[in-house]
Amino acid sequence: MKISLNWLKRYLDVKVPVEEISSKLTSLGFEVEGVEEFGKIYSGLLVVEVLECSPHPDSDHLSITKVFDGKENLQVVCGAPNVKAGIKAVLAPIGVELPMPDGKSLKMKKSKIRGVESFGMLCAEDEIGLSQNHDGILILPSDAPVGKPFAELGFYDTVFEINVTPNRPDALSHLGIARELAAAFDLPLKLQQQKPLEVASATSMKLSVEAPTACPHYVGRVINGVKIAPSPEWLQKLLRAVGMNPINNVVDITNFVLMDIGQPLHSFDLGKLKGGEVKVRFANEGEKFKTLDGKDHVLQSTDLAICDGNSPACLAGVMGGLESEITDDTKDVFLEAAFFNPTVVRKQAKRLGISSDSSYRFERGVDFELQNFANDYACSLIAELAGGKVAEKKEEFMSAENLPKRNPVPLREERIEKLLGLKVPLEQAKKLLAGIGIKETSENSGAYNIPSYRFDLGREADLIEEIARLVGYDNIPYDIPSFKAEPNELPLQEKINRKIRTSLSALGLHECLSLRFTSKKKTEWVFGASEDKRAKPAELLNPLSEELGVLPTSLLPNLLFSAAENAKHQKSVRLFEVSKAQFPTPETASEKDPGFKEIPMLAIVYAEPKAEFFAFKGLLEAFFKRLHVSVNFEAPENAETFLHPGCSATLKLGKKIIGSCGELHPVVQNKFDLKFNTFVCEIDLSILESAFLAPVSFKEFSKQMIIERDVSIEAEEAISHAELLSKFKGFNPKYLTSIELMSIYQGDKIAAGKKNLLYRFYYQAPDRTLTDDEINAIHTKLREKIVGAGLVLR
């Protein structure tokens, strides 16, 4: 929100530097996000006195003047018709740069104008950013100090960009901010003196409110015979300073009152309101309405509208209608000031996608006792600036039971000290609170009335917070308590995640951080329309976009999309992501049930032009080795549909399946437009936790010599290496430490449907070197068991 310093000065005589005002506002809880000081642009301008003025010998409209800038006399050629000796004016001396309308700047230089030297320029208002007036030079008051920088005379405004928190709607006006600064600087607040209304008989309007819960207070008044014209310069300046474009005198007055005291108003062209009636009601379902911005809207039965005898003329608290707007032809005006239920305004503004200065305030809550004053204030200005005759009778509706309730709030001196750690005498607290309109109900009652503009105050702690703001948080003493700091143990899952990130990064993979939403389309690309629970993600009610419309049941859709984007620019893509998959749970009666189960997951994508399964498997084995986890790769019983049916594996930790890996199915690869050979892996980390919980034991390794023996076996083509390995280990040969598959042969020298496998067995004793006789005896017994298991030795 923009706050004008010149506007603030209508309420209080604040003479401290801009930096101090900015600092004070921030300490009061209104963060100043920026300060725009227009005078700094024109800091080189000087106040001068015109000593002499004579006609130019070679021009019928130019004058040669001699001016005094406080140090020396200068000759300046001027073409203004109102220049004369004895006046005070504004000089742009040599070297000063003036901004131009096209964004460029004009630098003052010594020049000759029709043969006469000129040392600067006497300025008109439009040339120094004060107005659009170019009728002549700006003539300053006779007491303007010669030689003083013009920017210091107060002609230029300073605008503060303030962030007002949602709980402080009372500060969304210059009066609200002035009230805070007056209390902070201990200055008197000069409330605007409203001129007495000159009332007259005028057209009457019938008022009916059919929705008292949504509109508990409504005030309307007729002004006849207005003359629509541009607003006076002072009003236009103030509106421009806070970012509002002047429109005409009547509309500008409603905007001025809004920014001045915080009450939104709306003015209707009375001649365009049909039926001689104003009706506040909920809209009919499907009723159509065109707002001032020219957009058509279809209303619902929950939308509150201000209607004439036939149809909506204004969307309550949000925006007026195009058909009843004030135009140059308007002669009679109906002026509205109301209090609308914040929830009603917020819902309809959000549903229709309309945000206005009025809705911004109504949504947060306006002062529910301000409507009569605001209506009189605006009517008085319209009568003054637009020549209207204000109707004697005011149309008013009030439903007191539907207005916000205010109960007195107690305040105890000992409670102030307990909460703040600072002793604030009760008399000082009373004075501070009175400065912002919070006064004791009666002398020494100990309870305080809450103003109608403070929606955020309702408890003793709230009043103490106000005292803390006004005393200044920096003045509250603080002590650092002595305590022994001990590091907290990280949760197990976080330990696992950190180990995973470190290990995969060391293996040359890059971590990917995706948004916590994904696309339903991408999920279907991976899992299809199957009964797999991963194919049925929960949809968001208000998604950011279609691409972010569901909760992820797997990390693969987003990671594959990222891999495809990277593959357009890289020759190798190795990505991983550690995050959570989210699955809806059956509804339960428990209030603590969040409705979703989150499962920690790891996904890996490995894409290269010549990538092979065994290279990917080797990378995973190296990864598991770094985690000190023993994971087995087994042929899948039910292969994942998104994996190539002949090139995939199930990952098992003991007997539990923790995930799967393999080559991406060609159909899925084409969906994501991946040009490389792509391999993926997804692991359920919640199951992997058990491996980290298992106790770690140390077994001393042997320093003795390892002895190797080879066995060549002929087996059926269908039998897998894992099955053979399981058989060998089941024989439990003594001193056997490991088994390694050296080669597989299938070809002309072996029968069809058969394959030859060469295994190497490693033997080692923990405490001595084994002899050949011992090894031969053990190995011979192993060979016999192999033959006994129906395998053929070669």
Side-chain angles (χ1 to χ4, degrees), residues 518-521 543-550:
T518 188
S519 159
K520 187 175 182 181
K521 179 174 66 176
L544 296 173
S545 68
E546 187 178 344
E547 288 298 306
L548 301 169
V550 298

Side-chain angles (χ1 to χ4, degrees), residues 407-416 426-427 429-430 433 438-450 459-460 463-464 467:
N407 297 316
V409 177
L411 181 65
R412 296 163 290 173
E413 186 173 341
E414 62 274 14
R415 188 64 177 165
I416 299 173
L426 199 56
E427 288 304 312
K430 286 181 183 179
L433 293 174
I438 303 170
K439 297 181 180 179
E440 201 171 9
T441 53
S442 60
E443 190 171 350
N444 298 322
S445 68
Y448 293 77
N449 287 322
I450 305 302
R459 304 174 303 162
E460 185 179 27
L463 295 185
I464 295 172
I467 294 169

